[in-house]
Amino acid sequence: MQDILSQYNSVTEADVTTWFEVGTVSDFPENSGACIKYKTKQIAVYNFVRKNKWYAAQNLCPHKMEMVLSLGMIGDKNGIAKVACPMHKKNFSLEDGSNLNGDDLKIATYPVKIKDGNVYIGFSD
């Protein structure tokens, strides 16, 4: 199981070597998540309309090792965009992947850019 988890590492915009087109803005639900695949990774993509911002993170919950985070509810905790795992309600920051419940487990996050109505996620592999 650690092998699956180890393929997910946060990427900063400065580290991006590939901007991968994942669809158009209208392909993604507002204030909710959807899942895309990049190589062997499942990535959750969130169009957080209320914050006028897009987020991308691993779809894999590091606690239960299930591909479910794209199904989680997104919201705001003290000004930080977050997703709640639908299986056990642990909250992860969509900004930096940290676990807002104070646990060690965190998730990988990826930069998102919108250009000409298309959605791109940044990867470094």
Side-chain angles (χ1 to χ4, degrees):
M1 285 300 202
Q2 279 306 114
D3 290 350
I4 296 171
L5 200 53
S6 68
Q7 70 178 315
Y8 294 99
N9 295 296
S10 289
V11 175
T12 65
E13 200 152 334
D15 295 330
V16 171
T17 55
T18 302
W19 285 103
F20 183 68
E21 184 177 338
V22 296
T24 64
V25 168
S26 61
D27 290 334
F28 294 89
E30 295 186 352
N31 296 312
S32 187
C35 184
I36 65 98
K37 190 162 185 186
Y38 175 76
K39 296 184 178 178
T40 59
K41 296 178 178 74
Q42 284 191 31
I43 305 295
V45 182
Y46 306 95
N47 178 2
F48 204 151
V49 173
R50 291 189 315 251
K51 282 189 164 287
N52 195 28
K53 193 146 191 257
W54 287 74
Y55 298 94
Q58 70 188 48
N59 194 33
L60 179 67
C61 168
H63 178 244
K64 293 291 187 188
M65 300 302 282
E66 297 285 343
M67 297 289 185
V68 295
L69 292 182
S70 63
L71 304 173
M73 288 180 50
I74 60 173
D76 187 291
K77 183 173 183 175
N78 302 324
I80 299 169
K82 64 162 180 102
V83 61
C85 176
M87 293 186 76
H88 53 66
K89 308 300 183 244
K90 290 208 184 293
N91 292 297
F92 299 96
S93 164
L94 292 173
E95 310 275 344
D96 67 7
S98 60
N99 188 322
L100 300 175
N101 298 88
D103 298 342
D104 285 343
L105 298 171
K106 58 186 295 188
I107 60 171
T109 57
Y110 302 87
V112 181
K113 75 176 180 181
I114 308 300
K115 186 176 179 187
D116 300 327
N118 294 313
V119 182
Y120 299 85
I121 300 176
F123 294 99
S124 61
D125 62 340

